[in-house]
Amino acid sequence: MKTDAKQQIMAMNGDEAVAYAVKQSNVDVVAAYPITPQTIIVEKFSEYVANGEVPTQFVCTESEHSAMAASIAASATGVRAFTATASAGLALMHEMLFVASGCRVPVVMAVANRALSAPLNIHGDHSDAMAERDSGWIQIFVENAQEAYDSIIQAFRIAESKNVSLPILVGLDGFTLSHTLENVTTLVDDVAKEFVGERELPLVQTHEGKSAPFKLDPKNPMTMGPIALQNYYFEFKRQQEEGMKNALSVIEKVHAEYAELTGRSYGNGLIEKYQLDDAEFAVVCVGSTAGTLKTVVDEIRAEGIKVGLLKLRTFRPFPVQEIQKALAEVSLVAVFDKSMSFGGNGGAVFHEVRHALYDNAAHPLIVDYVYGLGGRDTNPKEFKKIFHELHQIARSKRVEKLVSYIGLRE
Amino acid sequence: MATTQEWKFTAKEIAEKPDLFLPGHRACAGCGPANALRMIMKATRGPTIVTEATGCMEVVSSIYPYTSWAVPWLHTAFETSAANASGIDAALRILKQKGKLQEHVDVIAIAGDGGTFDIGLQALSGAVERGHDFLFVLYDNEGYMNTGIQRSGGTPMGAATTTTPAGSVMPGKLQHKKPIADIMVAHNMEYVASATPYYWKDMLQKVRKGLEVEGPAFLHVFAPCPRGWRSESAKSIEYEKLAVESCVFPLYEVVNGQYTLSTPSKLISLAPQKKRPVTDYLKGQGRYRHLFNPKNKYVLDEIQRWTDERWTILLKKAEQNA
């Protein structure tokens, strides 16, 4: 893909890439509370504010709960709002995440994915975001700092799309991405700003019967976040699901437009297929592990074993049809989960992928590998070993263990 | 802040100003908070956005598809009215900065005693420390009335609630009420005041003063709950008066840390013989009925002792500034 947009290469870690994208996205209000490994995002953004580089109201709240409440309220007042968090901070926000999606406010949030207590652990896994999978937020997981930058820019367009109007979470792996330096190709300010554009508010009917932009505006009084009982609540939730469904095509469309502009793409924005077309068996993962697995796939392929990778970029809404299509021909699927679903017989991604493949005519065998909890390193050598194991399972067509743990002492 | 300015909230003016908290809500007969909110909204000075914590006033006024709010209104959660105000304030500031908003918009955050003394205190403290421009209205009916009359940090000693029932060994709530206004004063706020709808003109003036402050202001409104207090609906306004006359709920203002008694309480300070015993206020309320059993007299004595002590402390604070 060719692009004419002028771009520049900058050395940034994942958190800085997020902060830089937010800086370029004409964000009106940032309300946040620091938590490792997200801290660099708010620190970097504070520098922009301190140096007058952004016309943004930065509210240093006294907790993540208030950060999300303030973000919702700012967004409800009609402006563009961003926040960032991780782990316990996201858990503290839990109640407010449902409020944000229920109020249909397009808040954008970066989550530097991290383990949850106890025991206390500050390192990366997906326990925080996976625990919020039913909160009504769009969830995108990125592979590297570049994708973090690109995804934040895209996120505002997706969330604010009138037939979506839902908050969005962009997850980047704690420390693996948040704290490691990479070359990140960035757009120049004007081009980024133009791509993101101004927030357009959907028109709704006020209680006075007028048509007005959806916001807290004294000229058009609107009651937002009311109580809805048995006679209306269900309809609100059904409409949220409609917004989620619409998000699938909007994510694809915005991703394609961005690819046109920058020359960078991640599959179709929902999933990214790597060496999957003629694969005998496939592995599925989310986040930075995709980078490692691409290398491992190449090495295994060099041995003559036909393996492919499906990187799941969009976790919510879950791209069921895309996954069904991408994995239609393989005989075995191995899912890599970086979080636990205690008592659930496998991790969250495993559940979802297995659920999607139930309707495929040729049922592939599906196994789950839980790995990397609390930042435990999983190196290419270990993955290679797993790939050889998978090759054997694919050949023998026999699964002895549905859920396994990688690199665990037991 | 123009603290010396007096607003002429005459009955005629008030009656003529359209309601912003509209009739048709689901509040109970004799509801102190609903009456307070209707009055408070009469004291607004222009474009106003209201944000409200989960609680009885939110529930009775926003049952979809109806609303009692003639102003833009936002509810997010129980503990978030001050955090919401922070976000609204930040949004209004940036809209002004970008030239997208010219007029000033007042922000009022409303919460009950649960959403203020207890679960919302952290967000309130944070928002005040950050200096957001909003008036926080606490409607204090002294319990979690919406969830079925449980105790809160604002419930007074001796009151029977469903989580502090009057039993054979426990005479209702064992602890005194949290001094919420003093806690807010300790935040070095420009304006903190107490008010109650019986003294409506005093209350409305305080609302307006709070709105005039460029920064956070706090108004503690005393508002009876006939259901929770097991009191007669027709007596709510009377209890508001009795609470002030017994000094259970004195009326005062604190401007930049300087305490001043408001007229009804000032008159009692000048003529101490007019100060009524707390029993005048407590009797008739079902939540205190058990205290009038002789075995619980010690609780009544303690309530009187504590009330007197608080009143003396308040008088000293006010005298120091006289």
Side-chain angles (χ1 to χ4, degrees):
Chain A
M1 218 175 295
K2 287 262 167 64
T3 171
D4 295 328
K6 198 178 159 212
Q7 299 190 66
Q8 55 200 346
I9 294 174
M10 300 170 74
M12 294 192 282
N13 62 40
D15 277 357
E16 288 171 336
V18 168
Y20 194 73
V22 175
K23 180 191 169 190
Q24 292 186 317
S25 297
N26 200 16
V27 174
D28 296 304
V29 172
V30 171
Y33 189 77
I35 183 168
T36 303
Q38 170 276 118
T39 15
I40 302 167
I41 300 175
V42 290
E43 285 170 355
K44 199 72 204 168
F45 200 78
S46 304
E47 281 178 35
Y48 299 144
V49 174
N51 294 324
E53 292 178 60
V54 282
T56 307
Q57 284 287 320
F58 185 28
V59 186
C60 295
T61 53
E62 83 299 329
S63 73
E64 284 90 349
H65 195 283
S66 287
M68 184 47 66
S71 300
I72 294 166
S75 196
T77 313
V79 305
R80 184 171 283 158
F82 171 85
T83 188
T85 191
S87 181
L90 185 63
L92 185 59
M93 283 180 183
H94 176 71
E95 174 193 21
M96 300 314 293
L97 296 195
F98 285 76
V99 177
S101 58
C103 283
R104 307 299 294 268
V105 288
V107 174
V108 173
M109 171 162 66
V111 173
N113 294 116
R114 177 188 137 180
L116 281 169
S117 294
L120 178 64
N121 178 293
I122 60 164
H123 290 282
D125 69 31
H126 298 151
S127 307
D128 49 9
M130 289 303 163
E132 303 299 343
R133 65 178 174 165
D134 296 333
S135 63
W137 281 61
I138 297 166
Q139 288 197 19
I140 287 175
F141 287 86
V142 304
E143 183 180 328
N144 48 41
Q146 180 69 62
E147 193 177 353
Y149 169 84
D150 295 335
S151 300
I152 290 287
I153 300 260
Q154 292 169 32
F156 292 99
R157 286 271 305 274
I158 296 162
E160 293 168 10
S161 171
K162 284 180 190 170
N163 62 350
V164 175
S165 282
L166 285 171
I168 182 166
L169 175 166
V170 174
L172 63 154
D173 284 326
F175 289 98
T176 312
L177 299 186
S178 65
H179 283 60
T180 51
L181 209 61
E182 286 180 43
N183 279 342
V184 177
T185 307
T186 60
L187 291 162
V188 294
D189 289 355
D190 290 348
V191 177
K193 277 198 171 70
E194 198 193 321
F195 181 84
V196 178
E198 293 274 321
R199 180 181 167 196
E200 282 184 52
L201 298 159
L203 291 175
V204 295
Q205 201 184 32
T206 70
H207 48 65
E208 289 173 342
K210 288 193 278 184
S211 176
F214 185 58
K215 66 169 176 172
L216 298 168
D217 176 8
K219 288 191 183 72
N220 295 295
M222 217 173 280
T223 291
M224 293 171 73
I227 178 171
L229 301 174
Q230 299 93 323
N231 50 354
Y232 282 103
Y233 178 85
F234 208 166
E235 280 73 22
F236 276 93
K237 296 297 121 181
R238 174 66 182 86
Q239 286 177 15
Q240 266 177 254
E241 177 61 9
E242 203 58 25
M244 267 289 181
K245 271 185 170 169
N246 296 339
L248 282 169
S249 59
V250 173
I251 292 166
E252 271 194 88
K253 184 174 161 278
V254 172
H255 174 266
E257 263 182 58
Y258 189 82
E260 186 81 20
L261 178 72
T262 62
R264 287 187 297 279
S265 63
Y266 307 95
N268 64 353
L270 303 172
I271 60 164
E272 187 182 339
K273 296 189 282 184
Y274 188 77
Q275 302 278 29
L276 204 53
D277 288 342
D278 65 338
E280 187 187 333
F281 66 96
V283 293
V284 179
C285 76
V286 294
S288 62
T289 308
T292 311
L293 290 182
K294 282 173 184 171
T295 308
V296 178
V297 164
D298 288 346
E299 288 175 9
I300 295 286
R301 282 240 167 203
E303 295 173 18
I305 301 170
K306 286 182 177 175
V307 60
L309 163 73
L310 186 148
K311 172 178 127 184
L312 184 56
R313 181 171 184 262
T314 303
F315 180 67
R316 276 293 180 274
F318 198 72
V320 174
Q321 287 176 355
E322 301 288 335
I323 290 169
Q324 286 173 340
K325 222 168 115 191
L327 300 177
E329 306 295 331
V330 296
S331 62
L332 169 68
V333 175
V335 178
F336 293 114
D337 263 298
K338 220 172 179 176
S339 68
M340 296 285 262
S341 173
F342 299 103
N345 198 21
V349 185
F350 176 63
H351 293 158
E352 304 277 339
V353 171
R354 214 171 182 224
H355 151 64
L357 296 182
Y358 183 83
D359 292 326
N360 269 16
H363 283 279
L365 300 172
I366 316 171
V367 291
D368 188 26
Y369 289 91
V370 177
Y371 74 107
L373 298 191
R376 173 73 52 89
D377 189 34
T378 312
N379 59 40
K381 212 171 136 188
E382 284 171 291
F383 277 123
K384 257 176 121 168
K385 203 178 132 208
I386 301 292
F387 276 45
H388 286 130
E389 196 177 295
L390 290 169
H391 190 221
Q392 288 310 311
I393 298 171
R395 286 282 148 95
S396 67
K397 294 184 172 51
R398 270 191 58 197
V399 172
E400 307 223 331
K401 210 171 170 192
L402 195 67
V403 183
S404 312
Y405 304 96
I406 305 177
L408 180 74
R409 296 186 299 273
E410 58 180 348
Chain B
M1 187 188 65
T3 51
T4 52
Q5 193 179 337
E6 287 293 323
W7 289 275
K8 290 182 175 56
F9 289 108
T10 62
K12 185 169 180 285
E13 280 172 357
I14 297 304
E16 283 173 355
K17 181 164 177 173
D19 277 320
L20 295 175
F21 184 76
L22 303 165
H25 56 70
R26 267 64 156 209
C28 311
C31 172
N35 180 37
L37 289 191
R38 179 175 171 239
M39 299 289 280
I40 284 166
M41 293 309 290
K42 292 271 190 183
T44 54
R45 59 174 178 168
T48 306
I49 294 175
V50 170
T51 180
E52 197 166 351
T54 313
C56 44
M57 284 304 95
E58 173 260 331
V59 166
V60 302
S61 68
S62 77
I63 300 184
Y64 187 85
Y66 306 104
T67 183
S68 287
W69 293 96
V71 291
W73 178 95
L74 173 72
H75 158 256
T76 63
F78 196 179
E79 59 276 58
T80 49
S81 65
N84 289 342
S86 307
I88 295 166
D89 175 54
L92 293 173
R93 277 172 204 241
I94 190 76
L95 287 171
K96 269 192 182 170
Q97 195 180 312
K98 287 187 169 178
K100 292 176 182 174
L101 178 73
Q102 274 74 43
E103 60 194 350
H104 177 77
V105 178
D106 282 324
V107 181
I108 302 178
I110 301 169
D113 48 293
T116 306
F117 288 77
D118 297 343
I119 197 169
L121 185 60
Q122 175 183 312
L124 172 59
S125 177
V128 169
E129 181 266 328
R130 292 190 298 273
H132 291 288
D133 186 9
F134 71 114
L135 169 65
F136 191 97
V137 173
L138 151 65
Y139 66 89
D140 183 7
N141 56 19
E142 305 192 320
Y144 289 88
M145 302 317 188
N146 188 45
T147 40
I149 318 162
Q150 295 86 14
R151 68 92 90 181
S152 81
T155 302
M157 175 182 268
T161 70
T162 55
T163 49
T164 57
S168 56
V169 294
M170 288 222 250
K173 193 191 174 198
L174 299 176
Q175 304 82 15
H176 287 296
K177 193 180 176 93
K178 193 189 280 187
I180 189 71
D182 290 339
I183 292 168
M184 297 323 294
V185 170
H187 282 70
N188 295 324
M189 296 177 77
E190 196 174 322
Y191 190 74
V192 174
S194 65
T196 192
Y198 176 80
Y199 301 98
W200 56 271
K201 197 165 178 177
D202 173 77
M203 182 175 75
L204 298 190
Q205 285 175 341
K206 285 168 175 170
V207 171
R208 183 61 70 87
K209 281 184 185 177
L211 291 172
E212 292 277 348
V213 170
E214 285 176 25
F218 182 84
L219 187 64
H220 183 178
V221 177
F222 182 81
C225 170
R227 291 288 302 118
W229 292 13
R230 307 290 182 216
S231 57
E232 284 177 50
S233 295
K235 296 245 172 173
S236 292
I237 297 287
E238 196 177 321
Y239 284 122
E240 289 164 2
K241 181 167 175 272
L242 285 167
V244 174
E245 289 177 344
S246 61
C247 297
V248 163
F249 191 81
L251 299 180
Y252 57 94
E253 284 179 306
V254 191
V255 180
N256 291 318
Q258 309 284 301
Y259 283 72
T260 315
L261 292 176
S262 306
T263 307
S265 290
K266 180 84 181 165
L267 291 174
I268 295 166
S269 79
L270 295 173
Q273 72 279 9
K274 286 188 177 167
K275 180 168 174 280
R276 299 175 71 152
V278 292
T279 45
D280 283 7
Y281 161 72
L282 301 174
K283 71 184 177 204
Q285 295 184 43
R287 62 175 174 160
Y288 295 122
R289 187 186 299 123
H290 58 286
L291 298 185
F292 292 88
N293 181 327
K295 72 166 185 169
N296 286 330
K297 185 177 179 298
Y298 75 99
V299 183
L300 285 178
D301 292 345
E302 171 56 18
I303 294 172
Q304 185 65 63
R305 188 203 65 75
W306 191 76
T307 305
D308 293 345
E309 185 183 283
R310 298 288 308 165
W311 172 244
T312 308
I313 291 168
L314 179 63
L315 286 180
K316 274 186 192 156
K317 284 179 181 169
E319 266 167 31
Q320 279 164 8
N321 302 319

